[in-house]
Amino acid sequence: MNSSSLILGIDTSCDETSAAVVADGTRILSNIVSSQVKLHAPHGGVVPELASRSHLEILPLAVGQALDEAQIRPSDLTGIAVTSSPGLIGCLLVGLSYAKALGFSLKIPVTTVHHLKAHLFSPFLEHPPIFPFLGLVVSGGHTALYHVKSFDDIHCLGQTVDDAVGEAYDKVGKLLNVGYPGGPIIDRLAKEGNPNAFSFTRARVKKGPFYFSFSGLKTAVALLVRDQGPGTRDQGLKALGHGSPVTSHWSKFIRDIAASFQREAVGALVEKVGQAFDIYPVKAVLVAGGVACNSLLREEIKILSLKRGVDYFIPTPLLCTDNGAMIASVGDHQLSRNFKAPLDSNAYPSAPMW
Ligand code: KG4
Ligand code: ZN
């Protein structure tokens, strides 16, 4: 293998078990992602205890597969990078303990990576780094806007004061009973609905101009479903073709709600990015995290950045959602600067990025 570094990246922060091998910081040799969606779907959300037990079972298999696909032996690895925060504590501890034990036995360094930093820099797995940039991290657990001048100069302009945008998508999916996780399903249904069917008041957050709030939007959808929904909740899945047919009225209603909700949720994100452009001169905008898979968000960010004359980078969907490659990439950068985790390093449910 002709590379100066070969890093194993591990992420077990939430409901995906992932292991990847990345050469020289950006060359992805393998990126195994095992989703727990089926495990949590009956509960309509992630059950932490089930998640950590599943990581324990799957992680050794995912690491084995990552090494096989990369066609390397464990002894070829030059380091291990693992997510240590933020995330579900039981889940993080599975990955961290595994990484420390493997690093100790192979006598190679381990570095701990902040999950949001990995999302923020994930577009650089596909494009050369460009600074300064605005970075929007949007996932099931986080919604935050950053002004980034270098790998170490990261300023959080604002974040959500309540629900993350992905969480709002998933809760609306639950209200409409269209399946879990709601994000990709709502995105698909929105394409068949009228985005102007319902209008929502945009939240203004007192904390600052770049803070977000999505809980009011979710409540507004809940009230619409309660007051105008033409049937019982189980008609959501039926309207998607599961079970017996339902009235076209209900079918249209959920598509219109999906489209109107999506227009507002994406509008709130893109509006703040536009306002940040006015204040912070940047060369690019980067969007990352699971919600960066969203078709409307991708389109709107593209339009906005073309209008402003800046580059935009949004990873391919596999690199938007949780994955080990983004952890390995940031880990490579940290290890090149000798940022190693001691054997007694710990995991934290939340921690600052720097
Ligand atoms: O980054 P991620 O895999 O995990 C977290 O760190 O949370 O993001 C998962 C989130 C879920 O809330 C999911 O519904 C959302 O990303 N998501 C989407 C789409 N695809 C995934 N939300 C809106 N539109 C999508 N196409
Ligand atoms: Zn994530």
Side-chain angles (χ1 to χ4, degrees):
M1 180 66 50
N2 191 15
S3 44
S4 60
S5 71
L6 270 179
I7 307 294
L8 173 68
I10 293 174
D11 187 90
T12 59
S13 59
C14 190
D15 59 346
E16 262 112 19
T17 314
S18 183
V21 177
V22 173
D24 301 326
T26 53
R27 211 151 37 89
I28 302 173
L29 303 185
S30 61
N31 193 14
I32 308 302
V33 180
S34 172
S35 167
Q36 297 180 358
V37 160
K38 282 196 183 133
L39 182 67
H40 301 295
H43 308 280
V46 179
V47 182
E49 185 60 28
L50 292 180
S52 51
R53 283 165 192 260
S54 175
H55 286 309
L56 201 55
E57 211 177 295
I58 303 296
L59 183 58
L61 306 175
V63 169
Q65 203 179 331
L67 295 174
D68 283 352
E69 260 188 36
Q71 297 184 342
I72 62 164
R73 291 160 302 179
S75 56
D76 294 326
L77 291 169
T78 59
I80 302 175
V82 60
T83 304
S84 62
S85 73
L88 298 168
I89 189 66
C91 297
L92 291 167
L93 284 169
V94 172
L96 181 64
S97 310
Y98 184 95
K100 288 197 288 191
L102 186 61
F104 183 76
S105 66
L106 293 173
K107 298 186 176 56
I108 54 174
V110 174
T111 189
T112 53
V113 172
H114 194 284
H115 185 80
L116 295 184
K117 191 167 190 176
H119 271 307
L120 190 57
F121 290 109
S122 61
F124 295 157
L125 276 160
E126 296 175 312
H127 303 278
I130 178 167
F131 296 104
F133 67 84
L134 287 175
L136 180 67
V137 177
V138 277
S139 71
H142 305 277
T143 302
L145 182 61
Y146 299 91
H147 179 226
V148 185
K149 291 191 191 156
S150 72
F151 279 107
D152 305 307
D153 192 348
I154 305 165
H155 176 52
C156 181
L157 302 178
Q159 53 193 314
T160 181
V161 292
D162 40 54
D163 290 350
V165 62
E167 191 180 354
Y169 264 95
D170 295 340
K171 285 178 177 171
V172 167
K174 207 170 172 179
L175 284 167
L176 297 173
N177 198 28
V178 291
Y180 171 85
I185 302 169
I186 302 260
D187 190 10
R188 184 162 52 78
L189 287 170
K191 294 193 177 95
E192 298 159 5
N194 173 8
N196 300 311
F198 303 100
S199 60
F200 301 103
T201 310
R202 184 152 306 167
R204 298 285 162 215
V205 184
K206 283 198 191 115
K207 207 166 174 188
F210 301 113
Y211 282 78
F212 304 88
S213 168
F214 292 100
S215 73
L217 176 59
K218 170 203 66 193
T219 306
V221 171
L223 294 177
L224 275 173
V225 172
R226 188 195 66 186
D227 297 340
Q228 297 182 34
T232 56
R233 278 188 69 243
D234 77 321
Q235 289 187 313
L237 283 171
K238 286 182 186 169
L240 298 183
H242 307 270
S244 54
V246 290
T247 62
S248 61
H249 181 49
W250 175 244
S251 174
K252 179 171 166 19
F253 179 78
I254 64 163
R255 284 165 172 78
D256 285 351
I257 290 256
S260 304
F261 163 81
Q262 172 144 300
R263 186 183 75 129
E264 175 51 31
V266 170
L269 296 171
V270 175
E271 180 191 38
K272 300 254 189 280
V273 176
Q275 289 167 350
F277 275 139
D278 294 337
I279 299 178
Y280 301 94
V282 291
K283 292 187 182 148
V285 56
L286 274 58
V287 187
V291 183
C293 295
N294 186 269
S295 57
L296 183 65
L297 180 60
R298 295 175 87 93
E299 188 56 30
E300 295 278 320
I301 287 289
K302 179 179 165 185
I303 293 169
L304 178 69
S305 49
L306 288 176
K307 222 188 270 174
R308 300 295 184 122
V310 299
D311 280 328
Y312 71 96
F313 301 111
I314 310 177
T316 49
L318 180 64
L319 296 176
C320 287
T321 47
D322 291 349
N323 67 88
M326 67 179 189
I327 307 299
S329 180
V330 168
D332 185 85
H333 188 253
Q334 291 180 180
L335 286 172
S336 71
R337 300 153 113 216
N338 226 14
F339 178 64
K340 296 175 190 165
L343 265 181
D344 64 353
S345 63
N346 212 340
Y348 303 92
S350 68
M353 202 187 279
W354 39 86

